[in-house]
Amino acid sequence: MPVARLLVTARLSDPAAVERLRDAGHDVVVRDEVRPADADELRRLAADRDGLLCLPADRIDAEFLDACPSVRFVANHAVGTDNIDLAATAARGVAVTNTPGVLDEAVADHCVGLVLAAARRIAEGDRLVRDGGWTGFSTDLLLGLDLAGATAGLVGVGGVGGAVATRLVEGFGMRGLYVARRPHPELEERLGIVRATLDALLGEADVVTLHVPLTPETRGMIGAGELARMRPGAVLVNVSRGPVVDQDALVEALREGRISAGLDVFADEPLPAGHPLTSLPNAVLTPHIASAGRLTRSRMAHLAVDNLLAMADGRTPPTPVSGP
Ligand code: GLV
């Protein structure tokens, strides 16, 4: 087996995954940092490498690939691949893999957490108690949305969207609408959810959850017009990618108080300190941690390593996105 020169671009939550690369006899450089590398550092570290294990914050674009022509394969430690310019990798014959499937349940759990937190105003209640502003039980304190019998609108029903639909319908007694490029008869039969247009879903759903990859088609798909179509009192939850939503339009909609939101992803990450979202009580914000189950992150790391080892050996990787 040839020895490959590999770079792991940041510390992984499970060091055993990285050890597998060394045990396989490869020349492994690990950037032992939690913070993502900036573009210059990434280029410097990758300059003599054959393959990378990288994170969603690492931009693998034409400029990077031209600066690091030795890089022939990239294993993304994420299901989303919007940090990678797939046209640029394809044009240069660079293979790309991702980590689908293993994070579906954890991301769905977090999504439902955000649904509950926004619908039942849990973060607002937490702040009220901590800040000493709670004056005692009252019948109209922090009234929120009842989930049982309400309508969930799922935008995308791949692995994550399907797992969210299962939780909201079977666990909370919601009815469900979904938007997808093709019908999903198995989900329709099992959960009784119904396929709809985006416009119809936005007009009917009390809870809208987003589960689409970021592509040129989905960038900004929830803009001012779509937010205006949402029902008064509805909840929008985004666990996909920030730019799927027009964040400035969302800030305006939240300021008007017509809807509330649970957001794990943002237009720019990290969300800058003092961003208008941070002062809106009807927004629940988490720092891109939807897949951060201990076991899930370990599974993601091992799947990324499986992919990297396969590509280093010239085998077909388990979860390819695009070939060499
Ligand atoms: C995380 O955001 C992922 O795409 O896996």
Side-chain angles (χ1 to χ4, degrees):
M1 245 184 323
V3 173
R5 296 163 301 174
L6 305 175
L7 170 66
V8 178
T9 65
R11 186 181 307 164
L12 301 186
S13 66
D14 185 350
V18 176
E19 282 317 306
R20 289 178 52 215
L21 297 172
R22 294 207 171 95
D23 290 349
H26 295 301
D27 164 5
V28 186
V29 172
V30 178
R31 182 177 166 275
D32 191 25
E33 301 267 348
V34 181
R35 283 167 64 92
D38 64 27
D40 283 346
E41 186 184 6
L42 193 62
R43 275 200 292 268
R44 193 166 43 72
L45 289 171
D48 68 340
R49 300 286 99 184
D50 302 309
L52 312 180
L53 191 160
C54 66
L55 302 183
D58 298 322
R59 297 230 70 78
I60 309 298
D61 53 16
E63 211 181 333
F64 169 85
L65 294 166
D66 288 342
C68 304
S70 62
V71 172
R72 308 312 303 153
F73 48 91
V74 176
N76 210 32
H77 182 289
V79 61
T81 50
D82 47 285
N83 57 315
I84 301 175
D85 180 339
L86 294 176
T89 52
R92 291 159 183 77
V94 173
V96 177
T97 63
N98 66 344
T99 59
V102 291
L103 41 59
D104 294 348
E105 304 298 330
V107 176
D109 287 348
H110 194 79
C111 178
V112 171
L114 289 174
V115 169
L116 281 171
R120 296 302 307 277
R121 307 178 66 176
I122 290 172
E124 280 179 86
D126 180 83
R127 282 193 294 272
L128 189 69
V129 174
R130 285 174 200 274
D131 295 349
W134 184 31
T135 53
F137 182 87
S138 69
T139 55
D140 61 355
L141 179 63
L142 293 177
L143 296 180
L145 171 72
D146 291 295
L147 293 185
T151 299
L154 300 127
V155 181
V157 282
V160 173
V164 171
T166 302
R167 283 158 174 72
L168 294 181
V169 172
E170 291 185 345
F172 293 91
M174 298 185 79
R175 59 183 280 269
L177 299 173
Y178 73 95
V179 170
R181 276 185 305 218
R182 61 175 181 83
H184 287 258
E186 185 274 327
L187 288 175
E188 292 185 13
E189 204 166 303
R190 181 162 60 82
L191 301 174
I193 65 175
V194 175
R195 189 165 171 234
T197 62
L198 181 60
D199 261 10
L201 179 148
L202 292 169
E204 281 187 53
D206 302 290
V207 170
V208 177
T209 62
L210 305 178
H211 311 291
V212 288
L214 177 61
T215 65
E217 293 74 45
T218 63
R219 184 176 288 275
M221 80 185 284
I222 306 296
E226 287 71 25
L227 294 166
R229 279 196 68 75
M230 287 179 66
R231 290 165 64 86
V235 171
L236 175 71
V237 170
N238 190 5
V239 289
S240 62
R241 284 294 184 268
V244 170
V245 177
D246 176 339
Q247 193 164 279
D248 293 338
L250 178 60
V251 167
E252 281 316 306
L254 290 168
R255 274 198 182 123
E256 287 165 17
R258 276 186 73 253
I259 61 170
S260 57
L263 306 172
D264 187 52
V265 287
F266 302 91
D268 287 312
E269 295 182 10
L271 187 70
H275 187 278
L277 280 171
T278 62
S279 54
L280 288 165
N282 48 347
V284 181
L285 313 174
T286 56
H288 203 148
I289 54 169
S291 68
R294 245 177 239 109
L295 197 55
T296 295
R297 282 286 164 84
S298 171
R299 287 182 177 140
M300 290 171 73
H302 282 283
L303 180 51
V305 164
D306 292 342
N307 280 315
L308 200 60
L309 288 175
M311 293 188 287
D313 295 350
R315 290 181 281 115
T316 304
T319 51
V321 172
S322 61

